[in-house]
Amino acid sequence: MLPWIYLGVAGLLETCWAIGLKYSQGFTKPIPMIFTAVTLILSMILLARAADSLPIGTAYAVWVGIGAFGAAVLGIVLFHEPVTPLRVFFLVMLLGAIIGLKATSSS
């Protein structure tokens, strides 16, 4: 179970660094730039730890999925990105894919 916890936290940290990129304004703002770099490094470390036990294809897909889902939702909340029925539908599908990969994993 620990590798999945590492992977979940790594995915949340990926969301953090993705949002940090937006706040860093092209790496011109020092504090968001440092936040982005630190969360990126921690995310990669935890992904690597999870991949020690989980299949890399599953680990990477779940990591990217969590990060993409989180970044899309936070983009809507923080940056007032558009919310359309199709966008919501595909975000739900992405969430379903993440859950499906976890449910069908043998680890």
Side-chain angles (χ1 to χ4, degrees), residues 11-91:
L12 294 174
L13 287 168
E14 185 190 6
T15 298
C16 291
W17 69 256
I19 296 301
L21 284 174
K22 181 81 168 173
Y23 281 111
S24 75
Q25 296 179 357
F27 287 110
T28 60
K29 304 271 184 186
I31 299 299
M33 181 179 71
I34 292 166
F35 173 81
T36 300
V38 168
T39 55
L40 185 138
I41 290 166
L42 291 173
S43 180
M44 292 287 178
I45 289 169
L46 290 174
L47 173 61
R49 289 255 173 110
D52 281 344
S53 301
L54 301 174
I56 189 62
T58 300
Y60 185 75
V62 170
W63 177 72
V64 168
I66 293 169
F69 181 85
V73 170
L74 287 177
I76 291 167
V77 172
L78 298 174
F79 307 119
H80 311 290
E81 294 175 359
V83 180
T84 65
L86 273 178
R87 189 168 190 192
V88 171
F89 171 74
F90 286 115
L91 284 171

